[in-house]
Amino acid sequence: MLKTLIKKQFTELFRTYFYDQKKNKARSKLSVIAWFVFFITIMCGVLGGMFVSLSVSLCRGLMAADMSWMYFAVLGLLALCLGLFGSVFNTYSGLYLAKDNDLLLSMPIPIRLIMASRIVSVYLLGLMYCSVVFLPAMIVYWINAQLSFATVAGPLVMYAVISVFVLILSCSLGWVVAKISLKLKNRSFITVFVSLLFIGVYYFFYFKAQTMIQNLLANASEYGEKIRGSAYIVYLFGRIGEADPAVSAGFVAAAALLFLLIWRLLTRGFVDVATAAAPVTKTRYKEEYIKRTSVSAALLRKEFGRFTASPNYMLNCGMGILSLTAAGIVLLVKGQALLAPVQGLLAEFNGALPVMLCAVSCMLVSMNDMATPSVSLEGKSIWIAQLLPVTAWQVLKAKLNVQLILTAVPTVFCNACALIVLRIPVAESLMYMLTPLVYALFSALLGLTLGLKMPNLSWTNETVPIKQAGNILIALFSGWGYALLVGGAYLILGALLGPVPYLILVCAMTVAASFFLFRWLKTKGSEIYASL
Amino acid sequence: MLRIEHLTKSFGEKIAVNDLSLHIAPGEIYGFIGHNGAGKTTTLKSVVGIQNFDAGEITIGGVSLKQDPIGCKKMLAYIPDNPDIYEFMTGIKYLNFIADIFGVEANTRRERIKEYADRFELTADLAQPVSAYSHGMKQKLAIISAWLHEPRLIVMDEPFVGLDPKASFLLKEMMREVCRGGGAIFFSTHVLEVAEKLCDKVAIIKQGSLIRSGTMDEVRGDESLENVFLELEAEAEA
């Protein structure tokens, strides 16, 4: 039975990879392989690549100082953080809010099996994220160390322990969110607020981590002593990687014990939480004056309503709003101090700083991808939009406009803040302002195109179209690719042109690509939407 | 009001609707009967323009659905068998959204919302999110939203499922009111007693093909509709 439930979870999780909803048939084996290769390339190539260089820079130095435990402690903690960060936002909805709760609970399935199948999903998500850090760390270690049973087994045990700790922490937080949610009124906004606090703390440490790691390398032995003295648990944690049998056994036992505790906690209260209706305060309807609005305004309001109703949607697809705003404030407050060393690094490239900042701005813009899952999120209620006397293009335009509005405003703010600090000539300023906005248009059009190309209307958990869909992954990483291309190409070729002509060229190419996508959405895309 | 001519729709190799023709005049309540998977929902979805069809022609009020889908949609309303309504909206927001799309004036919509929500005893719950509604409440909301812009043709897929007896009675009354006002109703049902009492005309569909249609008297003769339906089913199978 558990196997069947897990298979069901996996079918949903990887549905996009196996099933082409547009053609209403299973993908070919070749297509499935291509999808998985693409996914693995993105995860390993882009994210993993970052941690390969970090592992390389730490490994040799710390091994030479006979402090491999510190190498494992640092990367292990990073893996723990990333694993938790990647999985925690979906744990609550993944464990408790699936639409098949009633169906499964009505069947003769023990609750522990339902929970076990869902925990497997949470575990896999956490494992995927912590692997991005710890797999490169292990490989780099194995390359540098003399291979033996201990050097191979130690990191593997630690990898397993980390993944279980990620699961425990993620499930604990999911349970806390579930308990709090049952008593909250404005759940969406409170969940978003708490999550943002968590993200803020995460990024605070993330940015501090750079300096901390550099310091660590410079004063490894001193820090080593300090950690042993005041944070002995961290030392022990690192010792798992060195295959200390007693320590490893202790951590494995602790992980098993904590897992049992959280397991009991989750299974005991599952029915209460999963079947509890939202804490609806009986709001009595009071008739009030209603103003008639235009069709486009009504469609836009509906799309905004969809976005703001779901913390999951806001957190996963609207991070650009916060990032752009925060980046603007940081630039205003600490701009000069932050940009001076970058300017020094880029001194040999003519006018590179504004272009690089432009690229960063585009990367932040790409963190807004609310248009991508907006088609799938229509789910079973898509018949309403198809039935209304409006064209499919009007509906799609509303989805597009939500992303454009929510991206353009913080982009203008962020760029205006940067311009105050940069003090560059008017033409450069204009292009600096324009390029991320043009990219915001392209990004929204591309996101919606991907949403139509890879729709999933039969989800039972909204996390699937919001976070786990292939189109979301492509939308996010294509944004990163665009930013890298804009920045990288300038260092290679653009410096010869100068920033203004280069950015004009970038804008022209982006506008051309946007025009192509716009035409497609208005014609073929609209046809696809109407026939979904 | 509604003309379906030689409608054909396939899903892969399966022919869901095969060369189906039906004419529904203004003032008629037309029942559509068939067993599960007979092609009723496919026909209804094609009529309301939320599903493409392979061949045939559908006209509503003389307007071709293929040539002017928006024009046709302005004249009709549809209630699906399972009212999956935007759960992130409150009942009143959903009704206002529909009214905005159909361009219903503020005063008119207020009057109609009040009238229909009072009739279905849903007024007190209009400020609640749809996610907190029961199946029956969602069905009532779908009915109110369908009536909100005074459509000339109302298409319904199993409209009585999930409604309490009082709401079912009200819906039947409202259907008759629409027809008295020159509109038309086309609905599918499994409840043959309802069809027998309510419909002016009835069509029976089996495996995508129309096996009998006409006025209630023409279709059933001296027998009950249930007997006729079961006999026709048996004949078609033989």
Side-chain angles (χ1 to χ4, degrees):
Chain A
M1 196 180 281
L2 180 63
K3 199 175 151 190
T4 310
L5 288 171
I6 291 174
K7 200 174 161 190
K8 186 228 101 190
Q9 287 288 112
F10 279 25
T11 309
E12 186 173 5
L13 201 63
F14 296 108
R15 185 177 161 83
T16 315
Y17 296 83
F18 289 103
Y19 186 77
D20 186 341
Q21 178 146 338
K22 204 175 69 186
K23 292 179 185 160
N24 204 19
K25 63 177 188 182
R27 290 187 192 280
S28 66
K29 273 187 183 171
L30 199 69
S31 171
V32 171
I33 292 168
W35 271 105
F36 274 99
V37 167
F38 172 77
F39 177 73
I40 291 164
T41 310
I42 292 287
M43 291 308 286
C44 298
V46 180
L47 281 175
M50 282 159 49
F51 292 101
V52 169
S53 60
L54 177 66
S55 304
V56 169
S57 63
L58 282 176
C59 190
R60 281 193 188 153
L62 289 173
M63 278 180 76
D66 196 21
M67 295 178 78
S68 299
W69 66 266
M70 192 182 275
Y71 170 74
F72 284 115
V74 169
L75 286 157
L77 286 173
L78 271 176
L80 202 64
C81 288
L82 195 72
L84 186 60
F85 186 69
S87 63
V88 71
F89 297 116
N90 303 304
T91 309
Y92 169 51
S93 57
L95 291 179
Y96 295 107
L97 301 183
K99 283 196 173 178
D100 57 1
N101 274 343
D102 290 351
L103 175 71
L104 295 180
L105 287 170
S106 70
M107 290 199 233
I109 305 172
I111 286 164
R112 63 174 196 283
L113 294 187
I114 299 174
M115 188 47 92
S117 67
R118 292 187 182 170
I119 279 180
V120 168
S121 290
V122 177
Y123 177 77
L124 279 181
L125 201 64
L127 181 74
M128 186 178 81
Y129 279 97
C130 70
S131 300
V132 165
V133 181
F134 210 72
L135 273 181
M138 284 197 302
I139 293 165
V140 170
Y141 178 73
W142 287 330
I143 290 168
N144 288 291
Q146 276 191 332
L147 288 182
S148 65
F149 176 75
T151 54
V152 172
L156 282 175
V157 172
M158 188 165 181
Y159 180 40
V161 166
I162 290 168
S163 66
V164 177
F165 272 118
V166 167
L167 176 70
I168 292 164
L169 288 170
S170 201
C171 287
S172 311
L173 286 168
W175 181 80
V176 170
V177 172
K179 285 287 169 190
I180 294 171
S181 291
L182 288 177
K183 295 185 173 81
L184 286 180
K185 279 186 196 172
N186 297 315
R187 281 201 291 185
S188 298
F189 286 101
I190 291 170
T191 311
V192 170
F193 178 73
V194 173
S195 305
L196 288 178
L197 265 182
F198 184 82
I199 291 167
V201 171
Y202 172 84
Y203 277 108
F204 176 78
F205 283 106
Y206 178 81
F207 287 116
K208 285 274 175 196
Q210 298 286 335
T211 328
M212 284 160 72
I213 286 167
Q214 281 167 6
N215 266 334
L216 192 74
L217 275 174
N219 311 293
S221 53
E222 188 190 334
Y223 280 118
E225 285 309 310
K226 275 186 185 172
I227 289 170
R228 283 194 209 198
S230 56
Y232 194 66
I233 188 81
V234 176
Y235 165 70
L236 291 178
F237 182 59
R239 286 284 294 156
I240 312 173
E242 289 187 323
D244 183 318
V247 172
S248 300
F251 268 91
V252 168
L257 190 69
L258 287 170
F259 178 74
L260 277 179
L261 279 174
I262 194 71
W263 170 256
R264 281 185 72 84
L265 206 64
L266 293 175
T267 46
R268 273 191 172 187
F270 177 74
V271 178
D272 290 340
V273 181
T275 57
V280 177
T281 325
K282 185 79 177 170
T283 318
R284 281 197 77 81
Y285 169 65
K286 281 183 210 153
E287 201 181 316
E288 51 191 45
Y289 179 72
I290 301 154
K291 202 179 153 194
R292 182 184 158 185
T293 54
S294 67
V295 171
S296 52
L299 289 169
L300 187 67
R301 198 189 307 161
K302 175 225 146 195
E303 291 301 328
F304 268 113
R306 182 69 186 87
F307 181 67
T308 52
S310 162
N312 216 353
Y313 194 10
M314 284 193 276
L315 281 168
N316 284 296
C317 302
M319 279 303 290
I321 304 167
L322 188 78
S323 306
L324 285 160
T325 312
I329 294 167
V330 168
L331 279 171
L332 265 187
V333 178
K334 294 182 89 175
Q336 294 292 356
L338 283 170
L339 296 180
V342 183
Q343 190 133 35
L345 277 171
L346 298 169
E348 59 181 293
F349 301 100
N350 169 28
L353 185 63
V355 179
M356 292 303 135
L357 279 181
C358 236
V360 172
S361 193
C362 291
M363 195 177 274
L364 298 179
V365 164
S366 72
M367 291 169 82
N368 271 4
D369 51 5
M370 50 284 276
T372 311
S374 64
V375 175
S376 297
L377 281 171
E378 295 272 1
K380 290 190 170 67
S381 53
I382 195 161
W383 66 272
I384 301 172
Q386 289 171 335
L387 180 72
L388 297 174
V390 294
T391 60
W393 172 239
Q394 281 177 291
V395 180
L396 295 179
K397 208 165 60 176
K399 295 179 187 300
L400 211 55
N401 284 340
V402 169
Q403 181 161 335
L404 288 175
I405 292 166
L406 291 176
T407 313
V409 175
T411 305
V412 168
F413 171 77
C414 177
N415 291 356
C417 293
L419 285 177
I420 292 170
V421 181
L422 280 171
R423 294 176 196 282
I424 48 178
V426 178
E428 258 180 71
S429 300
L430 199 67
M431 289 317 297
Y432 179 79
M433 197 54 122
L434 195 62
T435 310
L437 286 175
V438 169
Y439 173 68
L441 173 68
F442 171 77
S443 168
L445 290 164
L446 178 69
L448 192 55
T449 304
L450 291 166
L452 284 163
K453 281 273 182 194
M454 299 159 71
N456 172 9
L457 300 170
S458 54
W459 45 270
T460 54
N461 186 328
E462 70 169 16
T463 307
V464 174
I466 288 172
K467 190 163 185 176
Q468 293 160 353
N471 50 19
I472 281 285
L473 202 70
I474 300 173
L476 183 67
F477 287 111
S478 62
W480 289 24
Y482 179 92
L484 287 172
L485 199 69
V486 169
Y490 188 79
L491 296 181
I492 299 163
L493 297 168
L496 300 169
L497 289 173
V500 175
Y502 177 76
L503 288 178
I504 289 175
L505 187 69
V506 167
C507 279
M509 287 165 75
T510 312
V511 166
S514 302
F515 180 73
F516 171 75
L517 289 173
F518 178 82
R519 291 288 307 160
W520 186 89
L521 281 169
K522 217 174 164 186
T523 52
K524 187 85 182 136
S526 296
E527 275 174 33
I528 292 174
Y529 183 80
S531 60
L532 279 175
Chain B
M1 177 63 70
L2 170 66
R3 293 184 77 87
I4 306 171
E5 303 283 1
H6 307 293
L7 177 73
T8 301
K9 170 72 185 175
S10 305
F11 295 103
E13 288 174 5
K14 184 186 181 329
I15 300 170
V17 181
N18 187 19
D19 196 31
L20 187 139
S21 296
L22 277 179
H23 302 163
I24 301 173
E28 278 181 354
I29 298 181
Y30 210 117
F32 200 31
I33 302 165
H35 62 86
N36 294 330
K40 300 188 298 292
T41 300
T42 306
T43 306
L44 298 185
K45 281 185 172 179
S46 300
V47 165
V48 299
I50 60 175
Q51 184 174 265
N52 292 331
F53 45 94
D54 306 328
E57 176 68 289
I58 295 170
T59 56
I60 297 166
V63 180
S64 162
L65 185 67
K66 271 193 175 164
Q67 283 165 15
D68 185 7
I70 305 292
C72 286
K73 285 175 181 179
K74 280 181 182 166
M75 287 186 268
L76 64 83
Y78 171 60
I79 301 169
D81 54 346
N82 203 357
D84 288 304
I85 291 170
Y86 300 134
E87 299 218 326
F88 57 89
M89 286 184 178
T90 60
I92 187 67
K93 280 188 178 165
Y94 178 69
L95 293 177
N96 274 313
F97 169 69
I98 296 293
D100 278 335
I101 299 290
F102 281 94
V104 182
E105 287 299 332
N107 286 332
T108 315
R109 87 172 64 166
R110 196 166 56 240
E111 284 164 16
R112 287 183 193 159
I113 290 173
K114 184 169 172 27
E115 183 196 338
Y116 294 127
D118 281 351
R119 277 204 207 180
F120 282 108
E121 296 171 344
L122 200 67
T123 310
D125 295 298
L126 284 178
Q128 303 294 337
V130 173
S131 57
Y133 280 21
S134 67
H135 179 90
M137 287 163 83
K138 283 182 192 168
Q139 186 77 349
K140 288 175 184 176
L141 190 67
I143 294 167
I144 298 170
S145 70
W147 255 256
L148 206 51
H149 61 100
E150 289 200 330
R152 291 168 63 190
L153 171 69
I154 300 177
V155 180
M156 296 183 280
D157 197 354
E158 298 289 350
F160 300 102
V161 174
L163 287 183
D164 55 56
K166 191 178 173 187
S168 291
F169 175 77
L170 267 171
L171 178 61
K172 287 177 215 163
E173 285 295 302
M174 284 163 67
M175 287 162 78
R176 289 190 187 105
E177 279 171 27
V178 168
C179 292
R180 280 197 291 271
I185 305 273
F186 182 35
F187 76 105
S188 72
T189 184
H190 282 123
V191 190
L192 299 179
E193 290 83 358
V194 169
E196 206 162 4
K197 285 180 185 164
L198 195 63
C199 297
D200 302 307
K201 283 186 177 174
V202 70
I204 300 174
I205 184 174
K206 165 101 180 164
Q207 288 172 349
S209 299
L210 199 65
I211 50 173
R212 187 170 291 187
S213 66
T215 63
M216 190 56 74
D217 290 337
E218 282 168 359
V219 170
R220 72 180 168 186
D222 296 331
E223 293 184 76
S224 72
L225 187 60
E226 189 176 32
N227 284 343
V228 174
F229 177 72
L230 293 173
E231 279 168 23
L232 287 170
E233 285 270 303
E235 273 175 32
E237 268 168 29

